């Protein structure tokens, strides 16, 4: 649904959804509640958005929605103030569907061995029945929720097949259907949980605590409690806890998580900065300009979640096909069973009808498309690539030429020394030794590149003294009794060089700028 409304909207995180049919069952179950104008499930991000039709209290609506979702076999939790809850990183073996699948598999295997050794009897039948109950309970619960929503999905097909096989006395085959289906849904659930955690893990880039200054006293508080106008202090190497504007200080910030550019950017008083970015060597004082739930990082996560919920043309086609195909399969299977009882051996034809339900179940078709889209968007996000949605992914498959406008996209994002150009009778080694001796005390990425080049050339670096860093400009120190300055072209030209040196510096800078290099 894409209709908009000016009614207040509530967002719930829904646990347990691992298929598109599950999402549609939840959507229908909640959408039929009184006081609900619209219910929309984003399967990719496992969220439910509810728009109230009346001025109902949030608590009442929230409780009724949670009950409806619980009856459908899932769990819903309300997001407060739109704040995305950071997911707890649990290991894959803690997945709630894994235990029933393992229990069903083990019991089925034991029942099979017992049947082979002692023959089919009460012992093996009982074990098969317990295996079916253990692994089939989630399937039956989801199937009942679909029937209550007047929908036929793959859970309904599987439930009918298993019950029919058990009634025919084919306990082994009924158990095997449950085992294979539960293993498949478990693997799918693990994949989705991993992708969802990876996307929401972007929020972990922002620190949990912040150093805020209140009434002239610096104290540590939870970053989520920061208010607009608070003043926070960010020390060198720390991540910024909130979006804001720099009041004091200058530093090089790594903003790749926001801008995609891996090269650090120099920022000073008045410049906007964002939560999750990494501070360089300078101390910064920042005034908070947005709440945690409204930070640029939160907006990015919201956009990625929205992108996961958008359906590609192929997925829309599959969904429309499955909506007609599944009821049609049920109808054909019912006709086979009824016709067999009327005109032939009823037991054989009922068995064939059940086989048709299992074989014709559109699991692979219905599951594969959303799984591939969500997994692709999640993998791209972990690599720092934001994809607008499923349609964009399909469009990318037809692209043959890509133009990049950011250096960090095609490089490692680590600066390196491209050339050393001496001036005034000194050698390249002299220049590199002097510069590296100064930069060895600096934390700037460009300083690391200079030192790395000197170490690569096996140069012996003297000890620098009286080091002084000028954030955003460069650094100065005394090396072997001489005052050495290292910094940007703007910094060096501001030191009142003689006319020849100034002209050489500008000419050299212009020449290398055409190659994408900087002084």
């Amino acid at each position: 649904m894409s209709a908009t409304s000016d009614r207040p909207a509530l967002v719930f995180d829904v646990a347990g959804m691992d298929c598109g049919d599950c999402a549609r069952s939840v959507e229908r179950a909640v959408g039929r509640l009184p006081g609900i104008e619209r219910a929309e499930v984003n399967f990719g991000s496992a969220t439910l958005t509810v728009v109230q039709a009346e001025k109902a209290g949030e608590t009442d609506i929230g409780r009724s929605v949670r009950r409806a979702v619980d009856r459908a076999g899932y769990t819903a939790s309300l997001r407060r103030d739109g704040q995305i809850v950071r997911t707890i990183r649990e290991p894959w073996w803690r997945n709630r569907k894994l235990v029933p699948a393992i229990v069903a598999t083990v019991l089925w295997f034991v029942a099979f061995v017992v049947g082979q050794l002692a023959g089919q009897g009460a012992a093996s039948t009982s074990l098969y029945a317990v295996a079916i109950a253990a692994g089939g309970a989630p399937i039956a619960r989801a199937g009942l929720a679909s029937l209550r929503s007047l929908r036929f999905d793959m859970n309904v097909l599987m439930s009918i097949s298993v019950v029919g096989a058990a009634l025919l006395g084919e306990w082994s085959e009924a158990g095997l259907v449950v085992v294979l289906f539960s293993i498949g849904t478990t693997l799918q659930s693990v994949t989705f949980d991993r992708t969802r955690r990876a996307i929401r893990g972007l929020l972990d880039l922002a620190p949990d605590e912040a150093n805020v200054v209140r009434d002239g006293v610096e104290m540590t508080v939870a970053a989520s409690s920061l208010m607009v106008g608070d003043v926070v202090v960010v020390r060198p190497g720390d991540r910024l806890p909130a979006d804001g504007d720099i009041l004091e200080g200058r530093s090089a910030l790594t903003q790749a998580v926001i801008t995609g550019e891996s090269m650090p950017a120099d920022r000073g008083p008045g410049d906007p900065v964002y939560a999750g970015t990494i501070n360089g060597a300078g101390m910064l004082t920042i005034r908070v300009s947005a709440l945690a739930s409204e930070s640029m990082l939160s907006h990015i996560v919201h956009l990625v979640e929205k992108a996961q919920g958008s359906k590609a043309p192929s997925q829309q086609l599959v969904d429309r096909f499955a909506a007609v195909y599944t009821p049609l399969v049920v109808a054909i299977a019912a006709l086979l069973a009824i016709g067999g009882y009327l005109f032939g051996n009823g037991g054989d034809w009922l068995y064939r009808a059940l086989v048709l339900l299992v074989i014709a179940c559109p699991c692979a078709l219905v599951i594969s498309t959303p799984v591939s889209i969500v997994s692709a968007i999640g993998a791209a996000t972990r690599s720092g690539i934001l994809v607008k949605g499923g349609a964009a992914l399909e469009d990318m498959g037809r692209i043959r030429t890509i133009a990049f406008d950011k250096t960090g996209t095609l490089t490692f994002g680590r600066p390196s020394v491209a050339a050393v150009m001496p001036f005034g009778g000194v050698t390249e080694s002299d220049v590199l030794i002097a510069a590296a001796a100064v930069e060895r005390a600096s934390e700037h990425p460009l300083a690391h590149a200079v030192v790395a080049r000197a170490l690569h050339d096996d140069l012996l670096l003297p000890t620098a003294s009286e080091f002084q860093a000028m954030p955003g400009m460069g650094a100065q120190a005394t090396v072997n009794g001489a005052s050495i300055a290292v910094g940007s072209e703007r910094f060096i030209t501001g030191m009142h060089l003689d006319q020849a040196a100034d002209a050489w510096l500008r000419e050299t800078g212009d020449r290398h700028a055409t190659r994408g290099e900087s002084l």
Side-chain angles (χ1 to χ4, degrees):
M1 299 181 187
S2 59
T4 59
S5 174
D6 56 0
R7 302 282 188 184
L10 303 178
V11 180
F12 297 81
D13 290 298
V14 182
M17 290 193 306
D18 52 22
C19 65
D21 285 331
C22 306
R24 285 184 284 274
S25 296
V26 171
E27 196 170 87
R28 283 203 177 189
V30 175
R32 297 168 64 184
L33 293 174
I36 301 296
E37 177 183 297
R38 176 169 58 95
E40 183 174 353
V41 173
N42 184 329
F43 173 53
S45 61
T47 57
L48 165 66
T49 302
V50 175
V51 177
Q52 303 177 47
E54 301 173 356
K55 293 295 184 179
E58 177 182 315
T59 303
D60 295 335
I61 292 294
R63 184 182 298 114
S64 61
V65 169
R66 286 193 292 270
R67 287 176 178 173
V69 174
D70 184 66
R71 286 195 300 270
Y74 312 101
T75 305
S77 57
L78 178 64
R79 287 185 179 179
R80 296 293 179 181
D81 300 322
Q83 180 67 43
I84 300 176
V85 179
R86 300 189 186 189
T87 54
I88 300 174
R89 298 182 180 275
E90 294 183 344
W92 62 269
W93 48 266
R94 294 285 297 274
N95 185 280
R96 71 186 188 92
K97 288 197 170 187
L98 186 61
V99 172
I102 292 177
V103 171
T105 303
V106 172
L107 288 174
W108 184 90
F109 181 76
V110 173
F112 178 80
V113 172
V114 171
Q116 294 297 314
L117 296 179
Q120 297 294 334
S124 61
T125 300
S126 299
L127 289 171
Y128 281 132
V130 176
I132 292 172
I139 303 171
R141 186 168 58 247
L144 288 174
S146 297
L147 288 177
R148 282 196 292 264
S149 301
L150 303 178
R151 295 185 63 256
F152 287 94
D153 61 13
M154 58 188 178
N155 293 297
V156 175
L157 297 187
M158 286 296 163
S159 299
I160 295 174
S161 301
V162 171
V163 171
L167 292 176
L168 291 175
E170 301 293 343
W171 292 95
S172 175
E173 296 186 15
L176 185 59
V177 168
V178 168
V179 167
L180 294 178
F181 191 75
S182 60
I183 290 176
T185 55
T186 299
L187 293 175
Q188 179 183 328
S189 177
V190 169
T191 300
F192 271 115
D193 287 345
R194 186 167 164 235
T195 300
R196 289 162 181 160
R197 284 197 304 269
I199 292 173
R200 294 184 186 177
L202 289 174
L203 294 176
D204 295 336
L205 295 175
D208 294 325
E209 297 180 337
N211 298 317
V212 62
V213 179
R214 291 175 179 167
D215 298 326
V217 178
E218 182 177 332
M219 61 185 72
T220 301
V221 301
S224 58
S225 68
L226 292 175
M227 304 298 293
V228 175
D230 280 344
V231 176
V232 297
V233 177
V234 183
R235 293 179 172 80
D238 288 349
R239 288 186 180 272
L240 274 63
D243 290 5
D245 301 301
I246 298 177
L247 295 178
E248 298 178 7
R250 182 175 291 275
S251 183
L253 276 70
T254 302
Q255 301 184 124
V257 65
I258 302 296
T259 65
E261 178 58 71
S262 55
M263 292 292 291
D266 289 325
R267 293 291 181 263
D271 291 334
V273 290
Y274 307 102
T277 57
I278 304 174
N279 186 23
M283 176 83 75
L284 297 177
T285 301
I286 299 170
R287 177 182 286 116
V288 176
S289 61
L291 300 175
S293 60
E294 300 173 355
S295 68
M296 183 66 71
L297 198 58
S298 292
H299 283 309
I300 289 175
V301 176
H302 279 297
L303 288 174
V304 174
E305 287 188 338
K306 185 177 179 180
Q308 282 189 313
S310 65
K311 294 183 178 181
S314 60
Q315 185 178 352
Q316 296 175 5
L317 175 62
V318 168
D319 288 345
R320 289 195 299 269
F321 171 77
V324 177
Y325 173 81
T326 306
L328 182 63
V329 168
V330 175
I332 294 175
L335 290 175
L336 283 177
I338 294 172
Y341 270 106
L342 294 177
F343 304 108
N345 187 333
D348 288 345
W349 281 101
L350 177 58
Y351 185 82
R352 291 167 182 169
L354 296 175
V355 170
L356 172 64
L357 289 178
V358 176
I359 294 176
C361 180
C363 296
L365 185 63
V366 174
I367 292 176
S368 60
T369 308
V371 166
S372 60
I373 290 174
V374 173
S375 298
I377 292 177
T381 302
R382 290 195 298 272
S383 301
I385 303 171
L386 302 183
V387 182
K388 191 173 183 179
L393 280 176
E394 289 196 355
D395 290 341
M396 289 173 64
R398 294 187 287 270
I399 290 175
R400 294 294 175 265
T401 304
I402 301 176
F404 296 91
D405 68 340
K406 289 188 177 296
T407 57
T409 307
L410 300 175
T411 66
F412 290 106
R414 293 191 298 269
S416 61
V417 176
V420 180
M421 297 153 294
F423 174 79
V426 298
T427 64
E428 290 186 7
S429 297
D430 294 336
V431 173
L432 196 54
I433 288 173
V438 175
E439 297 285 44
R440 190 160 56 173
S442 174
E443 295 294 331
H444 198 281
L446 296 180
H448 293 168
V450 173
V451 174
R453 173 60 183 271
L455 295 177
H456 176 270
D457 292 351
D458 294 326
L459 299 178
L460 183 62
L461 302 183
T463 300
S465 60
E466 300 177 2
F467 175 82
Q468 181 181 4
M470 284 151 281
M473 301 290 288
Q476 283 182 294
T478 300
V479 180
N480 293 331
S483 179
I484 305 296
V486 181
S488 63
E489 182 179 355
R490 178 166 57 98
F491 174 56
I492 300 300
T493 53
M495 302 186 70
H496 307 293
L497 303 176
D498 60 62
Q499 187 174 359
D502 185 70
W504 176 86
L505 185 63
R506 294 182 185 279
E507 178 188 352
T508 305
D510 293 341
R511 184 172 67 252
H512 283 270
T514 60
R515 307 175 189 172
E517 301 167 353
S518 61
L519 293 182

